[in-house]
Amino acid sequence: MKLKNIIKHFNLITHHKWVVFKLCCKVGQPWRGLVHDLSKYSPTEFWESANYYVGTHSPITEAKKDKGYSEAWLHHRGRNKHHTQYWVDHDAQNATPIIPYKYAAEMICDKLAAGIIYEGKNWTKEMELSYWEEREKDILEMNPKIRDFITAVFEKVAQQGIDKTLTKKNIRYLYKKYCES
């Protein structure tokens, strides 16, 4: 493992946390932004991710290609409620419950921040909707109401941009419309 990758990975996750924090503040969830992804600094997540660091996409993808799984991802998704995978339990009566608002709002901020960080200057307001529809929407297991909420938010971001879409009032309204009806 190279020292350069350790430093770059640390900077990447810290920059990502900063962008998530700013977006979470916009949607009225500053605490969620502050505690977002703290597990990425744990030895289980940090060292594997630093070892597979590439800078253009998640090192978890590289670990899975190499080993067939990622210890960092298994650790991360089990500790962070803003991931849909945290909420899947096939042994429960409701295998995919509706994710509570504060975590659903944090998830939106996390997904947007990841795109912004990895795409850099090439990021556009339409990118997250495209990524969502092409790579996640029909693949990730989740409650259909949460799927509709995420889709609605990313459609609005694509149409109006982050600043107009990510407001406390707007995200709360969309959550109520799709998840509490």
Side-chain angles (χ1 to χ4, degrees), residues 111-122:
K111 289 179 177 298
L112 287 165
I116 291 166
I117 296 300
Y118 284 121
E119 293 298 329
K121 293 177 183 176
N122 296 323

Side-chain angles (χ1 to χ4, degrees), residues 7-67:
I7 294 167
K8 285 184 175 185
H9 178 64
F10 178 83
N11 289 339
L12 178 82
I13 61 177
T14 303
H15 186 206
H16 172 74
K17 275 187 58 55
W18 174 245
V19 175
V20 172
F21 174 73
K22 291 192 300 183
L23 296 176
C24 279
C25 287
K26 287 177 161 293
V27 301
Q29 296 293 318
W31 178 251
R32 297 303 325 145
L34 192 62
V35 299
H36 177 78
D37 279 356
L38 287 176
S39 69
K40 284 190 178 185
Y41 297 98
S42 71
T44 301
E45 293 183 38
F46 186 85
W47 294 116
E48 182 184 80
S49 295
N51 187 48
Y52 287 98
Y53 175 85
V54 289
T56 57
H57 57 272
S58 174
I60 288 168
T61 303
E62 295 303 306
K64 288 179 180 180
K65 284 181 194 174
D66 182 41
K67 301 187 303 185

